[in-house]
Amino acid sequence: EKVVVRGVAVDKDQAKVIVSNLPDKPGSAARVFRALADANVMVDMIVQNVGRGGVANLTFTVPQTDQVKAQRALEPVLAAMGGGQVAIHEQIAKLSVVGVGMKTHSGVAATLFQALAAANINIEMISTSEIKISVIVEQERADEAARVAHAAFHLDQL
Amino acid sequence: EKVVVRGVAVDKDQAKVIVSNLPDKPGSAARVFRALADANVMVDMIVQNVGRGGVANLTFTVPQTDQVKAQRALEPVLAAMGGGQVAIHEQIAKLSVVGVGMKTHSGVAATLFQALAAANINIEMISTSEIKISVIVEQERADEAARVAHAAFHLDQL
Ligand SMILES: C[C@@H](O)[C@H](N)C(=O)O
Ligand SMILES: C[C@@H](O)[C@H](N)C(=O)O
């Protein structure tokens, strides 16, 4: 399937919420997200990598206006689970490259990551699907990140 | 926006490749994915959580037939970067819940995670977008995971 990158989007109104030391057993993620759903927190990106030593780190993004609500919803749940800390960072932005056929080619990821690397923009988080690659970068680099991604995929020449 | 879950998909032909201790600075992710693209490795899910202590763990999934190619492509790159290890696990499966409007509601994530938790199925990785929530579970629990997810979203009653 031909890979076609359609566009680049940047969202600067996001905060990342890092839940660290979550017990890596059934039920942990469920309790975190049930608490967030009950508090009407809008969750965008969720990233959890494999656990180690029985614990895992779970990070998700929310609109900046929901960060306090998210923290308050999580503190009692983490305390009840016997561990786990919440940290919030709002100086971030989400950059997404949208396309089709991206699954069949690690080249799109490579192109985006190389463009950001060349601009010395650090990639804080990565989450992908067949139609979208999203990365979290520092908020003050967001506009530059969007520009270099645009150029890397020749979207400025359409 | 109304949340509508449309379907559940399970893919048992995946292997997860964990790259640990990757230097958390611009260029690391680019070098990993350029090497994979050059080796024609098909990459599906990519998950990278925030780094700590200057290193990050990056995990991605590939078809089981590509795992050896992925390992061989990465070893020289990691050696050249002065660190980083590759580990591969093939007894995994990817379960995805597809829908629309999922961004606006952490309830869909909560429902899926609760269904898996109730079946005592551990969630190894999570990656989401507005239209899809994907989790990695142990391969031998994949069919059961698909059944409980189906039931949780009442897809068996359509
Ligand atoms: C860490 C968390 O995802 C845990 N493994 C769970 O299944 O809920
Ligand atoms: C870990 C990796 O993503 C690194 N931060 C990079 O920008 O390439």
Side-chain angles (χ1 to χ4, degrees):
Chain A
E1 188 184 357
K2 191 170 180 330
V3 178
V4 178
V5 170
R6 294 258 165 89
V8 168
V10 67
D11 183 351
K12 292 191 267 186
D13 172 33
Q14 298 229 352
K16 72 180 174 200
V17 180
I18 306 171
V19 180
S20 40
N21 293 321
L22 198 61
D24 187 12
K25 54 188 175 67
S28 296
R31 290 169 74 167
V32 166
F33 286 93
R34 177 48 54 198
L36 293 170
D38 290 349
N40 286 318
V41 174
M42 271 181 59
V43 171
D44 183 8
M45 203 164 155
I46 303 172
V47 167
Q48 179 204 304
N49 211 336
V50 291
R52 323 189 127 204
V55 291
N57 296 333
L58 170 72
T59 304
F60 57 90
T61 64
V62 299
Q64 286 173 2
T65 45
D66 276 6
Q67 59 182 292
V68 172
K69 212 164 51 164
Q71 183 145 26
R72 289 196 181 140
L74 291 183
E75 279 163 350
V77 170
L78 296 179
M81 280 199 268
Q85 294 82 39
V86 181
I88 301 191
H89 299 263
E90 58 174 299
Q91 298 305 320
I92 57 133
K94 182 176 83 163
L95 173 75
S96 301
V97 170
V98 181
V100 291
M102 300 204 297
K103 173 176 181 166
T104 54
H105 219 299
S106 29
V108 180
T111 300
L112 174 65
F113 301 163
Q114 282 177 309
L116 296 172
N120 210 33
I121 294 170
N122 197 43
I123 296 165
E124 300 185 8
M125 288 167 68
I126 302 169
S127 176
T128 64
S129 72
E130 293 89 344
I131 62 162
K132 189 192 269 203
I133 297 178
S134 293
V135 297
I136 295 292
V137 300
E138 206 184 344
Q139 193 170 321
E140 65 175 23
R141 307 298 302 277
D143 291 342
E144 183 183 356
R147 270 201 310 279
V148 304
H150 231 239
F153 293 108
H154 310 297
L155 294 169
D156 43 0
Q157 295 160 25
L158 291 174
Chain B
E1 188 180 359
K2 190 168 183 330
V3 179
V4 177
V5 171
R6 295 260 163 87
V8 167
V10 67
D11 183 350
K12 292 190 269 185
D13 173 31
Q14 297 230 351
K16 74 181 173 198
V17 180
I18 306 171
V19 181
S20 41
N21 293 319
L22 197 61
D24 188 13
K25 55 188 174 70
S28 297
R31 289 169 75 166
V32 166
F33 286 92
R34 177 47 56 197
L36 294 170
D38 290 349
N40 287 318
V41 174
M42 268 179 61
V43 171
D44 183 7
M45 203 166 156
I46 304 173
V47 167
Q48 180 204 303
N49 211 336
V50 290
R52 323 189 126 206
V55 290
N57 296 332
L58 171 72
T59 305
F60 56 90
T61 65
V62 298
Q64 287 175 2
T65 46
D66 274 8
Q67 59 182 289
V68 173
K69 211 163 51 161
Q71 183 144 27
R72 290 196 181 141
L74 290 182
E75 280 163 349
V77 171
L78 296 178
M81 279 199 268
Q85 293 81 39
V86 182
I88 301 191
H89 298 263
E90 58 174 304
Q91 297 306 319
I92 58 133
K94 183 176 83 165
L95 173 75
S96 300
V97 170
V98 181
V100 290
M102 302 205 294
K103 175 177 182 165
T104 53
H105 219 296
S106 28
V108 179
T111 299
L112 174 64
F113 301 162
Q114 283 177 306
L116 296 172
N120 210 32
I121 295 169
N122 197 43
I123 297 165
E124 300 185 6
M125 289 167 67
I126 302 170
S127 177
T128 64
S129 71
E130 293 89 342
I131 63 165
K132 189 192 271 204
I133 297 178
S134 292
V135 298
I136 296 293
V137 299
E138 207 185 341
Q139 193 171 319
E140 64 176 25
R141 306 301 301 279
D143 291 341
E144 183 184 354
R147 270 202 309 279
V148 305
H150 231 238
F153 294 109
H154 309 297
L155 294 169
D156 44 1
Q157 296 159 26
L158 291 175

